[in-house]
Amino acid sequence: MNVPGWGSWSVVPLLWLLLLAAGGWYASVLRRMDRDDQRVSVGGAIAFYSGLLIILIALASPLNTIADNWLLLAAMMQHTLIADIAPPLFVLGIAPIVSSVVLPDGVRRHFAAGTVPARVWAVATRPFVAVPVWSVVLLSVSIPAVFDYTVQHPVVHAATHLALFSTGFVMWWAIINPLHDVGTDLGM
């Protein structure tokens, strides 16, 4: 059995491209905030880029191969990184941006208070909605038959990771911003 070492990272072009695009987008937003004399949160930037690093470790490091092929424990570690560690880091990094004025007018109008996306977000981020949805997703992907199926089907596996991250992000948004004080002008 040839178990990968820490020197063998996966090169999944779409993952690397998305992570680089997210990092570039965040840097451009921070530059715009600085140019507009808005307070740039160094802690938020560290949190956001740490979240990108956690996603990279979870999905491109040898942990991914070990999780898919050998150890259930590695898969559960991976799911913890995706659903519990990275999302709050992204929330801490994105929350200051949402409350800033650097977002394009079209985005601000789309998420303005009273719009459908704003109302959906308001319901989704209620703790009595976000926590149970996150729990159901996390528990359901931990069922052995479901886990085995997802590992054998790459598209379903990727969708599982997306569901873990998305529900984790919404749940952590509800926990970190319980009064919805960030982005109230956007309806978020």
Side-chain angles (χ1 to χ4, degrees), residues 94-111:
I94 291 173
I97 291 173
V98 170
S99 63
S100 75
V101 294
V102 297
L103 294 175
D105 288 337
V107 173
R108 293 177 67 81
R109 277 192 305 275
H110 187 71
F111 288 100

mmCIF file of all heavy atoms in Angstrom, residues 94-111:
data_model
loop_
_atom_site.group_PDB
_atom_site.id
_atom_site.type_symbol
_atom_site.label_atom_id
_atom_site.label_comp_id
_atom_site.label_asym_id
_atom_site.label_seq_id
_atom_site.Cartn_x
_atom_site.Cartn_y
_atom_site.Cartn_z
ATOM 1 N N ILE A 94 -15.403 38.208 5.644
ATOM 2 C CA ILE A 94 -16.364 38.823 4.724
ATOM 3 C C ILE A 94 -17.292 39.819 5.412
ATOM 4 O O ILE A 94 -17.701 40.807 4.810
ATOM 5 C CB ILE A 94 -17.174 37.729 3.990
ATOM 6 C CG1 ILE A 94 -16.246 36.989 3.024
ATOM 7 C CG2 ILE A 94 -18.368 38.302 3.253
ATOM 8 C CD1 ILE A 94 -16.865 35.790 2.361
ATOM 9 N N ALA A 95 -17.611 39.595 6.681
ATOM 10 C CA ALA A 95 -18.558 40.463 7.384
ATOM 11 C C ALA A 95 -18.179 41.948 7.308
ATOM 12 O O ALA A 95 -19.049 42.780 7.030
ATOM 13 C CB ALA A 95 -18.732 40.011 8.831
ATOM 14 N N PRO A 96 -16.908 42.327 7.511
ATOM 15 C CA PRO A 96 -16.578 43.753 7.398
ATOM 16 C C PRO A 96 -16.786 44.302 5.988
ATOM 17 O O PRO A 96 -17.110 45.470 5.811
ATOM 18 C CB PRO A 96 -15.092 43.816 7.775
ATOM 19 C CG PRO A 96 -14.817 42.566 8.520
ATOM 20 C CD PRO A 96 -15.763 41.540 7.973
ATOM 21 N N ILE A 97 -16.628 43.454 4.968
ATOM 22 C CA ILE A 97 -16.811 43.899 3.588
ATOM 23 C C ILE A 97 -18.285 44.128 3.294
ATOM 24 O O ILE A 97 -18.653 45.081 2.618
ATOM 25 C CB ILE A 97 -16.207 42.866 2.612
ATOM 26 C CG1 ILE A 97 -14.691 42.884 2.746
ATOM 27 C CG2 ILE A 97 -16.623 43.143 1.189
ATOM 28 C CD1 ILE A 97 -14.000 41.800 1.971
ATOM 29 N N VAL A 98 -19.133 43.250 3.821
ATOM 30 C CA VAL A 98 -20.571 43.374 3.566
ATOM 31 C C VAL A 98 -21.086 44.705 4.100
ATOM 32 O O VAL A 98 -21.949 45.335 3.501
ATOM 33 C CB VAL A 98 -21.338 42.183 4.198
ATOM 34 C CG1 VAL A 98 -22.832 42.407 4.164
ATOM 35 C CG2 VAL A 98 -20.977 40.900 3.472
ATOM 36 N N SER A 99 -20.535 45.131 5.228
ATOM 37 C CA SER A 99 -21.010 46.383 5.813
ATOM 38 C C SER A 99 -20.337 47.616 5.199
ATOM 39 O O SER A 99 -20.679 48.731 5.542
ATOM 40 C CB SER A 99 -20.782 46.375 7.324
ATOM 41 O OG SER A 99 -19.398 46.302 7.605
ATOM 42 N N SER A 100 -19.400 47.388 4.283
ATOM 43 C CA SER A 100 -18.728 48.528 3.661
ATOM 44 C C SER A 100 -19.509 48.978 2.429
ATOM 45 O O SER A 100 -20.483 48.362 2.033
ATOM 46 C CB SER A 100 -17.298 48.137 3.258
ATOM 47 O OG SER A 100 -17.335 47.325 2.112
ATOM 48 N N VAL A 101 -19.027 50.048 1.838
ATOM 49 C CA VAL A 101 -19.706 50.580 0.651
ATOM 50 C C VAL A 101 -18.961 50.228 -0.624
ATOM 51 O O VAL A 101 -19.246 50.795 -1.667
ATOM 52 C CB VAL A 101 -19.886 52.116 0.757
ATOM 53 C CG1 VAL A 101 -20.822 52.461 1.874
ATOM 54 C CG2 VAL A 101 -18.546 52.811 0.903
ATOM 55 N N VAL A 102 -18.020 49.289 -0.572
ATOM 56 C CA VAL A 102 -17.243 48.972 -1.767
ATOM 57 C C VAL A 102 -17.953 47.982 -2.685
ATOM 58 O O VAL A 102 -17.496 47.745 -3.787
ATOM 59 C CB VAL A 102 -15.836 48.412 -1.414
ATOM 60 C CG1 VAL A 102 -15.023 49.443 -0.674
ATOM 61 C CG2 VAL A 102 -15.933 47.130 -0.648
ATOM 62 N N LEU A 103 -19.044 47.425 -2.237
ATOM 63 C CA LEU A 103 -19.775 46.503 -3.097
ATOM 64 C C LEU A 103 -20.421 47.280 -4.240
ATOM 65 O O LEU A 103 -20.922 48.390 -4.049
ATOM 66 C CB LEU A 103 -20.847 45.756 -2.301
ATOM 67 C CG LEU A 103 -20.333 44.801 -1.222
ATOM 68 C CD1 LEU A 103 -21.494 44.221 -0.435
ATOM 69 C CD2 LEU A 103 -19.509 43.700 -1.836
ATOM 70 N N PRO A 104 -20.433 46.710 -5.435
ATOM 71 C CA PRO A 104 -21.055 47.398 -6.576
ATOM 72 C C PRO A 104 -22.540 47.684 -6.321
ATOM 73 O O PRO A 104 -23.215 46.944 -5.605
ATOM 74 C CB PRO A 104 -20.885 46.396 -7.724
ATOM 75 C CG PRO A 104 -19.780 45.490 -7.299
ATOM 76 C CD PRO A 104 -19.833 45.441 -5.800
ATOM 77 N N ASP A 105 -23.033 48.751 -6.922
ATOM 78 C CA ASP A 105 -24.430 49.147 -6.730
ATOM 79 C C ASP A 105 -25.399 48.033 -7.105
ATOM 80 O O ASP A 105 -26.416 47.840 -6.447
ATOM 81 C CB ASP A 105 -24.753 50.409 -7.537
ATOM 82 C CG ASP A 105 -24.104 51.649 -6.943
ATOM 83 O OD1 ASP A 105 -23.800 51.626 -5.733
ATOM 84 O OD2 ASP A 105 -23.917 52.624 -7.691
ATOM 85 N N GLY A 106 -25.106 47.278 -8.165
ATOM 86 C CA GLY A 106 -25.986 46.185 -8.589
ATOM 87 C C GLY A 106 -26.118 45.126 -7.507
ATOM 88 O O GLY A 106 -27.217 44.621 -7.254
ATOM 89 N N VAL A 107 -25.011 44.803 -6.853
ATOM 90 C CA VAL A 107 -25.043 43.817 -5.763
ATOM 91 C C VAL A 107 -25.836 44.385 -4.594
ATOM 92 O O VAL A 107 -26.660 43.694 -3.994
ATOM 93 C CB VAL A 107 -23.611 43.428 -5.331
ATOM 94 C CG1 VAL A 107 -23.625 42.549 -4.092
ATOM 95 C CG2 VAL A 107 -22.881 42.733 -6.471
ATOM 96 N N ARG A 108 -25.583 45.637 -4.274
ATOM 97 C CA ARG A 108 -26.283 46.260 -3.146
ATOM 98 C C ARG A 108 -27.795 46.297 -3.400
ATOM 99 O O ARG A 108 -28.583 46.042 -2.503
ATOM 100 C CB ARG A 108 -25.732 47.662 -2.894
ATOM 101 C CG ARG A 108 -24.290 47.646 -2.407
ATOM 102 C CD ARG A 108 -23.738 49.044 -2.228
ATOM 103 N NE ARG A 108 -24.392 49.759 -1.161
ATOM 104 C CZ ARG A 108 -24.104 49.623 0.127
ATOM 105 N NH1 ARG A 108 -23.194 48.770 0.508
ATOM 106 N NH2 ARG A 108 -24.732 50.331 1.025
ATOM 107 N N ARG A 109 -28.202 46.622 -4.637
ATOM 108 C CA ARG A 109 -29.632 46.649 -4.965
ATOM 109 C C ARG A 109 -30.233 45.251 -4.899
ATOM 110 O O ARG A 109 -31.349 45.065 -4.427
ATOM 111 C CB ARG A 109 -29.852 47.240 -6.360
ATOM 112 C CG ARG A 109 -29.880 48.743 -6.402
ATOM 113 C CD ARG A 109 -30.399 49.259 -7.745
ATOM 114 N NE ARG A 109 -29.661 48.738 -8.884
ATOM 115 C CZ ARG A 109 -28.531 49.264 -9.352
ATOM 116 N NH1 ARG A 109 -28.013 50.312 -8.776
ATOM 117 N NH2 ARG A 109 -27.934 48.734 -10.402
ATOM 118 N N HIS A 110 -29.472 44.243 -5.386
ATOM 119 C CA HIS A 110 -29.972 42.867 -5.414
ATOM 120 C C HIS A 110 -30.241 42.333 -4.008
ATOM 121 O O HIS A 110 -31.187 41.578 -3.804
ATOM 122 C CB HIS A 110 -28.956 41.982 -6.139
ATOM 123 C CG HIS A 110 -29.422 40.585 -6.371
ATOM 124 N ND1 HIS A 110 -30.410 40.275 -7.281
ATOM 125 C CD2 HIS A 110 -29.055 39.419 -5.805
ATOM 126 C CE1 HIS A 110 -30.616 38.977 -7.270
ATOM 127 N NE2 HIS A 110 -29.811 38.428 -6.392
ATOM 128 N N PHE A 111 -29.422 42.750 -3.046
ATOM 129 C CA PHE A 111 -29.567 42.259 -1.674
ATOM 130 C C PHE A 111 -30.154 43.306 -0.733
ATOM 131 O O PHE A 111 -30.064 43.161 0.483
ATOM 132 C CB PHE A 111 -28.209 41.788 -1.134
ATOM 133 C CG PHE A 111 -27.758 40.509 -1.753
ATOM 134 C CD1 PHE A 111 -26.824 40.510 -2.775
ATOM 135 C CD2 PHE A 111 -28.278 39.300 -1.322
ATOM 136 C CE1 PHE A 111 -26.403 39.328 -3.349
ATOM 137 C CE2 PHE A 111 -27.865 38.104 -1.893
ATOM 138 C CZ PHE A 111 -26.929 38.125 -2.913
#
